Amino acid sequence: MKFSLFVTQQCNLRCSYCYIQKQSKTMSDRTAKQAIDFIFKRSKRFNETINIGWFGGEPLLEFGRMKKFTQMVTEHPQYSADKVVISVVSNGTIFTEEIGQFLKESGIIFGISCDGPPDVQNKFRKFRNGRPSSKRVERTILRAHEMLGNSMINAVYTPSTLKNLPDTIHYFSRLGVRQIYLSPDYSAYWDEEAVFQLPKIYDAIGDLYISYYKKGDPHYISLIDNKISVILRDGYDRKDRCRMGIAEFAITPEGNVYPCERLVGDGNNNRRIGNVFTGIDPEFMLCHCAKGQAINKECLECGVKQYCMNWCGCSNYMTSGYYNRVSSFLCHSEKTILQTAFRVFRVLEKELGPVFYEHLVGKALSETV
């Protein structure tokens, strides 16, 4: 179960590819209480971990609210520390001793969005006045690592920064980061030239992964670890797949409910599926679905479809305009990273023996590095 709560839609950065429209809205105590009730009520019929993420905008602009809402979660009658995981995703420009101490004491997972070294970070992720953000974000990464241990980093790559991914991983590694999530900008135009570069770049990432592992310093790199996990488990499990609007929701400051945070936009668009005060519209999935077959014909006939993210509704929507229609870029990217992950697996298993047992239960290295 995954719930993203928009503490605010304000942000001090103006990242050019951001899919959330910046507004002055913040979540009230009343809406937060109703949203948390919605979370526990919706999760009751699922015997699963509940992941609650504080989101934005930049949620740490409203640190006081985030603290209060966290307390609302932990004091809820249905709260169980064994069942609830709380996280916050920040742009890395706001971090203090008080924030670090609170995150540590509360056991909140801290994620930082950073696209890479200064020349990459500053290309798209700038302050409202146009000033670069890299120096401040790098300080936050170092301080968070010192206070919290292994925080996770999410780096967005675009057609113009795809070639920088190996250097980006090197950069994070030098800063002590060992959990690296790499996410393509699905809203970008991925032309044939960019798609053609995927095998070369993904293989370079695979080589880095192998080298770190052989040195006894394994790094969790999402592109590689996620696919090795899926390969070992012979495909995506039902709970791995997108269940937006069923077991995945995003809630805006006004209490509007969306099937995924990437579909919120300005918070008032026609992808809204309900409100925490009025409930969910059961007909929402009829919107933005391509008529006829559920997915592309080539997907239905593909031999690796069970290992592919063709099920990701928001990625499909961002790239093809339909929840159930896979784009050419996603298809090529998935096939390419599968080949790279399988090569990495074979090399390391051959040279080091069985090293991926934890992946069989979907843990990958994110819980061990």
Side-chain angles (χ1 to χ4, degrees), residues 249-292:
F249 301 91
I251 303 172
T252 68
E254 310 96 319
N256 290 332
V257 181
Y258 288 78
C260 176
E261 70 268 9
R262 285 194 283 184
L263 298 175
V264 168
D266 62 2
N268 291 295
N269 57 59
N270 61 359
R271 298 187 292 272
R272 182 174 61 188
I273 63 173
N275 187 281
V276 293
F277 292 100
T278 58
I280 300 297
D281 177 3
E283 302 297 319
F284 84 92
M285 281 302 289
L286 295 176
C287 301
H288 303 298
C289 285
K291 293 182 179 179

Side-chain angles (χ1 to χ4, degrees), residues 39-313:
I39 288 172
F40 284 106
K41 182 178 179 181
R42 196 79 191 181
S43 304
K44 200 170 184 180
R45 61 192 177 100
F46 294 90
N47 185 27
E48 300 176 19
T49 299
I50 302 171
N51 289 278
I52 299 174
W54 305 126
F55 207 73
E58 171 49 50
L60 292 180
L61 285 172
E62 295 290 338
F63 174 57
R65 291 178 188 269
M66 194 190 82
K67 284 179 65 176
K68 184 185 293 185
F69 298 165
T70 298
Q71 186 176 359
M72 287 183 183
V73 171
T74 58
E75 292 181 351
H76 194 278
Q78 293 175 249
Y79 172 79
S80 168
D82 296 331
K83 283 287 187 181
V84 178
V85 176
I86 303 176
S87 63
V88 59
V89 178
S90 168
N91 63 27
T93 62
I94 301 170
F95 192 81
T96 64
E97 192 81 16
E98 181 186 3
I99 290 172
Q101 199 61 38
F102 171 75
L103 295 175
K104 185 175 182 178
E105 291 173 355
S106 303
I108 294 176
I109 297 170
F110 186 49
I112 301 170
S113 295
C114 176
D115 291 350
D119 59 323
V120 177
Q121 168 75 3
N122 295 331
K123 190 167 187 175
F124 299 107
R125 302 181 65 83
K126 298 178 181 179
F127 286 100
R128 284 179 294 186
N129 60 8
R131 293 180 61 187
S133 63
S134 59
K135 286 185 178 180
R136 190 179 298 185
V137 175
E138 183 174 308
R139 286 199 300 268
T140 294
I141 292 172
L142 293 171
R143 187 68 181 119
H145 182 73
E146 180 183 335
M147 291 190 71
L148 305 173
N150 191 25
S151 298
M152 61 182 184
I153 301 293
N154 181 65
V156 174
Y157 59 97
T158 70
S160 64
T161 60
L162 174 66
K163 64 181 181 295
N164 301 106
L165 279 181
D167 288 338
T168 290
I169 293 171
H170 269 309
Y171 171 73
F172 291 143
S173 181
R174 290 195 299 271
L175 294 180
V177 176
R178 294 298 180 268
Q179 290 192 60
I180 304 168
Y181 291 78
L182 303 175
S183 305
D185 175 11
Y186 288 112
S187 65
Y189 173 62
W190 290 84
D191 58 20
E192 289 186 7
E193 183 179 353
V195 172
F196 180 76
Q197 295 296 317
L198 290 175
K200 176 183 176 182
I201 301 302
Y202 287 175
D203 271 347
I205 294 171
D207 290 340
L208 280 173
Y209 186 99
I210 290 170
S211 69
Y212 292 140
Y213 218 116
K214 286 183 176 179
K215 292 175 183 176
D217 183 22
H219 291 42
Y220 172 83
I221 301 176
S222 61
L223 285 177
I224 306 294
D225 281 281
N226 288 350
K227 286 305 183 197
I228 290 177
S229 178
V230 170
I231 289 168
L232 285 173
R233 291 182 288 132
D234 199 26
Y236 283 101
D237 182 78
R238 179 187 64 85
K239 292 180 182 179
D240 298 326
R241 298 171 182 267
C242 175
R243 293 183 290 163
M244 62 183 199
I246 299 172
E248 179 172 351
F249 301 91
I251 303 172
T252 68
E254 310 96 319
N256 290 332
V257 181
Y258 288 78
C260 176
E261 70 268 9
R262 285 194 283 184
L263 298 175
V264 168
D266 62 2
N268 291 295
N269 57 59
N270 61 359
R271 298 187 292 272
R272 182 174 61 188
I273 63 173
N275 187 281
V276 293
F277 292 100
T278 58
I280 300 297
D281 177 3
E283 302 297 319
F284 84 92
M285 281 302 289
L286 295 176
C287 301
H288 303 298
C289 285
K291 293 182 179 179
Q293 60 194 30
I295 54 177
N296 301 13
K297 182 179 179 182
E298 53 267 35
C299 291
L300 296 172
E301 299 172 349
C302 181
V304 296
K305 62 179 180 291
Q306 70 268 34
Y307 306 100
C308 171
M309 283 181 58
N310 54 61
W311 43 260
C312 183

Side-chain angles (χ1 to χ4, degrees), residues 345-354:
F345 170 78
R346 287 191 300 176
V347 168
L348 290 177
E349 291 281 280
K350 181 179 179 180
E351 296 188 19
L352 302 179

Side-chain angles (χ1 to χ4, degrees), residues 6 8-9 17-22 55-57 261-266:
F6 285 67
T8 180
Q9 282 187 233
Y17 52 66
C18 187
Y19 45 80
I20 303 298
Q21 184 173 317
K22 306 304 175 290
F55 207 73
E261 70 268 9
R262 285 194 283 184
L263 298 175
V264 168
D266 62 2

